[in-house]
Amino acid sequence: QVQLVESGGGLVQPGGSLRLSCAASGSMVRINAMGWYRQAPGKERELIALITSAGGTNYADSVKGRFTISRDNAKNTVYLQMNSLKPEDTAVYYCNVRLPSYSWSPYWGQGTQVTVSS
């Protein structure tokens, strides 16, 4: 089981930036990707960015060109640089790990709240 701790959220004005971090601990040997999800009020949790063990990345259309995912393998940490934030980016952001079966772990961290508002 992998434990996940997200941080870096906060209140930011439209057009601003934030950098989220997610520290993972536990057995990471068989993890093949890490990703960021978000859940806005009244909506389902959605995958917005992932990075594979080989460094490949993929983004949801809603964040492409504005968000950048990266990872520090030595620290078992994944980051999400969020630029040009919009009010519709307001959500609780979670990270997760992808298992060898290519399913995502059923265990989640507490998430970090991002609020974009003037």
Side-chain angles (χ1 to χ4, degrees):
Q1 182 177 339
V2 176
Q3 292 78 43
L4 304 163
V5 179
E6 302 93 343
S7 61
L11 173 64
V12 63
Q13 293 186 343
S17 298
L18 280 175
R19 188 193 194 207
L20 307 183
S21 299
C22 172
S25 60
S27 178
M28 298 287 290
V29 174
R30 302 177 66 196
I31 300 303
N32 61 53
M34 299 184 74
W36 283 98
Y37 284 73
R38 68 184 181 187
Q39 186 167 20
K43 295 188 176 181
E44 292 188 356
R45 196 171 297 185
E46 61 171 340
L47 177 64
I48 58 170
L50 70 84
I51 184 166
T52 68
S53 299
T57 58
N58 200 6
Y59 298 93
D61 288 344
S62 58
V63 306
K64 197 173 295 183
R66 299 187 298 122
F67 291 10
T68 302
I69 188 170
S70 61
R71 65 188 290 177
D72 184 331
N73 290 329
K75 297 181 179 179
N76 283 339
T77 300
V78 64
Y79 305 98
L80 187 66
Q81 178 66 44
M82 305 186 297
N83 299 328
S84 303
L85 282 161
K86 306 175 182 180
E88 50 264 45
D89 295 317
T90 295
V92 180
Y93 285 70
Y94 302 86
C95 67
N96 207 334
V97 297
R98 195 170 69 184
L99 306 173
S101 61
Y102 283 78
S103 61
W104 293 88
S105 170
Y107 303 103
W108 297 87
Q110 82 289 348
T112 186
Q113 174 71 48
V114 172
T115 302
V116 185
S117 174
S118 55

